[in-house]
Amino acid sequence: MLDCLIIGGGPAGLTAAIYLARYRRRVVVVDAGDSRAALIPESHNYPGFQGIAGPALLDRLRGQALRYGAELTHGTVTALTREHDGFIAGSGSATYRAHTVLMATGLIDKKPVTEGLGDGIVHGAIRFCPICDGYEATDKRIGVLGPFETAAHKALFMRTYSRDVRLFSTDRAEVPGVSKDLTAAGVTVAGIATRVDPSADGVSVTVEDGRTHVLDVLYPTLGCTVRSDLAAALGAACSDIGTLKVAPASTGCSAPATLSPTCISSASPRAMRRSRRPRSTTGSRETTDNRGCGGAFSTSPRSD
Ligand SMILES: Cc1cc2nc3c(=O)[nH]c(=O)nc-3n(C[C@H](O)[C@H](O)[C@H](O)COP(=O)(O)OP(=O)(O)OC[C@H]3O[C@@H](n4cnc5c(N)ncnc54)[C@H](O)[C@@H]3O)c2cc1C
């Protein structure tokens, strides 16, 4: 019987594994191998590193967890049920029994539908979280792509970094009051996007009137899919966007705070113990809401 089964071996799950292994707990991490962190070309906001690529960071975290005795295994947990003194989980032909389960399954960003997008992400031309890497977009040609009002919020924030910020809508050409605010802040409302084409050194976006905008960086703000199905099926309380509600372990009560896996530094595993919480009816996981995806920032356009 394990002390803890960790589902997900991204930065959150591996950090938890390091701590639990150092507490001398019997820990297994089961990881399906598509960490969001693996897509990071080079991160500059991770304390202690001047710059580190996502895959290298994951390697370091894995090495550190192994060093203290955590067991790491590749697989996808597809079934998770309760049994009298803990949980039982299934991954392929393997079965795990554990007193506690720690969910660190992350989320998946919704991406523009276009060919060659992977290259754009690898080259850093398509980015998802300005909290993580907005600084690297300083003085560049920045585009924000998404439903008008969501994109407007992010576009205003991007004025922190550049005078050249353009909004590409995926739903409507303008929202009167919001468009006025954007123009006043110096954001160009470029129209409804019809194509996104990554290139070797940037990305271009074509809009309905046929014009093509060449950009250095594009931030899609299309929402995300929160991978909380396993926990929601067990009755864990979820927010309306599918993130798990967590509570301080000491109180055992359900706190309203929702921790969102926005950046590595805030990637928060959620430990589950056996509880008698009522089954949630709000276990939605598909969302266009960006609260879990780097959407929680205030706007402060640069003054120049
Ligand atoms: C292009 C890009 C650039 C980024 N740059 C930065 C940056 O510079 N700085 C920064 O702080 N953050 C950055 N981020 C965000 C960062 O990558 C995430 O915040 C971080 O990876 C979240 O860690 P996590 O462990 O919660 O989830 P993830 O890293 O997504 O890991 C979750 C893991 O759980 C696994 N999993 C899911 N379901 C199951 C299951 N049922 N069974 C087994 N395994 C499962 C997945 O396969 C995955 O490996 C960036 C993200 C992207 C996409």
Side-chain angles (χ1 to χ4, degrees):
M1 185 90 170
L2 299 170
D3 291 309
C4 186
L5 173 69
I6 299 177
I7 306 179
L14 292 169
T15 301
I18 292 165
Y19 275 80
L20 288 170
R22 286 174 55 83
Y23 292 154
R24 312 201 68 171
R25 308 293 175 190
R26 286 200 59 215
V27 181
V28 168
V29 180
V30 181
D31 183 40
D34 62 341
S35 166
R36 209 169 162 233
L39 298 172
I40 305 175
E42 187 162 80
S43 175
H44 297 273
N45 72 330
Y46 195 88
F49 291 96
Q50 295 300 322
I52 182 162
L57 178 64
L58 288 168
D59 274 350
R60 283 176 177 255
L61 291 169
R62 280 191 284 262
Q64 197 173 354
L66 286 168
R67 179 176 167 194
Y68 296 110
E71 188 183 320
L72 312 184
T73 176
H74 182 79
T76 302
V77 173
T78 51
L80 182 63
T81 51
R82 288 174 173 159
E83 59 174 15
H84 65 282
D85 57 349
F87 295 88
I88 178 161
S91 167
S93 58
T95 298
Y96 301 92
R97 287 192 157 75
H99 291 298
T100 57
V101 171
L102 198 143
M103 304 297 301
T105 44
L107 57 78
I108 304 168
D109 297 288
K110 289 186 181 162
K111 302 175 180 72
V113 181
T114 183
E115 281 176 30
L117 188 65
D119 295 341
I121 295 173
V122 169
H123 292 117
I126 296 189
R127 304 181 184 178
F128 295 91
C129 173
I131 293 169
C132 307
D133 50 30
Y135 186 89
E136 277 66 46
T138 299
D139 292 333
K140 296 200 168 164
R141 295 167 296 180
I142 300 172
V144 178
L145 173 81
F148 197 99
E149 288 183 80
T150 318
H153 193 55
K154 200 173 233 174
L156 286 172
F157 177 69
M158 294 317 297
R159 280 283 291 116
T160 307
Y161 299 106
S162 176
R163 266 171 277 184
D164 188 346
V165 179
R166 306 176 213 183
L167 185 151
F168 301 94
S169 174
T170 52
D171 53 2
R172 47 200 149 141
E174 62 169 325
V175 174
V178 183
S179 302
K180 204 171 143 213
D181 290 347
L182 289 166
T183 307
V187 173
T188 303
V189 178
I192 297 182
T194 55
R195 269 187 79 96
V196 176
D197 291 300
S199 61
D201 55 355
V203 56
S204 64
V205 180
T206 306
V207 291
E208 265 187 340
D209 67 9
R211 265 184 281 185
T212 295
H213 294 253
V214 179
L215 307 164
D216 299 304
V217 182
L218 179 69
Y219 282 91
T221 178
L222 302 169
C224 60
T225 304
V226 180
R227 289 190 279 215
S228 54
D229 310 52
L230 286 170
L234 270 183
C238 294
S239 73
D240 56 348
I241 64 164
T243 48
L244 298 182
K245 291 186 177 178
V246 296
S250 56
T251 67
C253 64
S254 185
T258 302
L259 302 183
S260 308
T262 302
C263 314
I264 292 170
S265 49
S266 67
S268 308
R270 297 101 170 116
M272 293 178 68
R273 292 173 190 281
R274 278 180 53 80
S275 78
R276 293 199 189 85
R277 277 188 205 143
R279 191 182 178 93
S280 166
T281 54
T282 55
S284 59
R285 283 153 291 284
E286 284 274 334
T287 178
T288 53
D289 189 309
N290 277 271
R291 275 174 286 162
C293 319
F297 35 70
S298 61
T299 58
S300 60
R302 51 189 289 174
S303 54
D304 54 355

